Amino acid sequence: MNTRSAMRDRLVTSTAPLLRRWHRMDARQQRLFGGLGALLVLAVLLAYVWLPAVRERDRLTARLPQLSAQLASMKQQAEEVRQLNSTSALAPAPPVATDIASLQSVFGEVARVSVDSNRAFRVVIPKTSYANWWDRVGDVQARHQLQMISLSLQALPGNTREVSVDMLLGDRTRVSPPAGASK
């Protein structure tokens, strides 16, 4: 409150000489200075409020065709997105070389990894331990989100812990198992 009253007192003391001078003027001089003050206020409003608003309106009016074109383009793109979302899912792209290399690194150098005609990975391992193969299949299923579609697993003669593997790995919903394949 003290700062308010101090400011009010300062305002009163600074305007007091002007008010005394105003009251000493005759009516004609007061009208003349009042009119000049009104013109000054009008000029300031024109320069700092009206003209910037008019310039901004002109700028926005000039940009309106560009913004309309952008809106039309966005509406067209939104319609294309709606159409793409409403169409059925396309067949997945065939696996790429990086996927083959990734599976090759998981199953080791002995494995032969290729792409099957059904867009699945065919993995052939002539000799591996059953436990090692089982762990790696679990890793592939977890990390690469592939499922075993078909499997041919044969125990190697004379050694009960080593097997020969021929399997297909892929996304079960997109790849149909080959005829006669065991699951």
Side-chain angles (χ1 to χ4, degrees), residues 28-92:
R28 181 174 170 263
Q29 287 177 328
Q30 285 179 350
R31 281 194 306 267
L32 179 66
F33 281 112
L36 287 174
L39 282 176
L40 182 63
V41 168
L42 187 62
V44 168
L45 285 175
L46 180 70
Y48 291 104
V49 176
W50 179 258
L51 290 177
V54 168
R55 281 189 215 111
E56 186 65 16
R57 185 196 66 194
D58 291 343
R59 186 185 70 78
L60 291 174
T61 302
R63 280 194 62 206
L64 190 59
Q66 176 191 4
L67 294 173
S68 295
Q70 286 178 348
L71 177 63
S73 173
M74 288 169 57
K75 284 181 178 179
Q76 180 184 5
Q77 291 171 353
E79 183 59 34
E80 289 175 6
V81 167
R82 264 189 241 105
Q83 287 176 355
L84 288 173
N85 284 337
S86 68
T87 60
S88 62
L90 300 174

Side-chain angles (χ1 to χ4, degrees), residues 7 13 15 21 26 34 36 50 52-54 63 65 67 70 73 83 89 117 125 128 133 166 183:
M7 287 178 59
T13 56
T15 58
R21 189 172 221 182
D26 61 7
L36 287 174
W50 179 258
V54 168
R63 280 194 62 206
L67 294 173
Q70 286 178 348
S73 173
Q83 287 176 355
S117 61
I125 307 171
T128 186
W133 167 77
D166 184 359
K183 291 186 180 180

Side-chain angles (χ1 to χ4, degrees), residues 2 5 33 70-71 84 92 112 114 119 142 145 148 165 173 178:
N2 287 337
S5 62
F33 281 112
Q70 286 178 348
L71 177 63
L84 288 173
R112 289 187 317 255
S114 61
R119 297 183 184 202
Q145 304 190 353
M148 192 175 310
V165 178
T173 61

Side-chain angles (χ1 to χ4, degrees), residues 6 8 15 18 40 48 52 54 80 121 129 134 137 164 173:
R8 187 171 17 110
T15 58
L18 292 173
L40 182 63
Y48 291 104
V54 168
E80 289 175 6
F121 295 102
S129 72
W134 186 252
V137 167
S164 170
T173 61

Side-chain angles (χ1 to χ4, degrees), residues 1 48 98 125 148 156 169 174:
M1 283 259 260
Y48 291 104
T98 55
I125 307 171
M148 192 175 310
L156 294 177
L169 298 172
R174 295 182 183 162

Side-chain angles (χ1 to χ4, degrees), residues 86-107:
S86 68
T87 60
S88 62
L90 300 174
V96 292
T98 55
D99 295 333
I100 292 173
S102 175
L103 288 175
Q104 185 74 49
S105 69
V106 170
F107 288 109

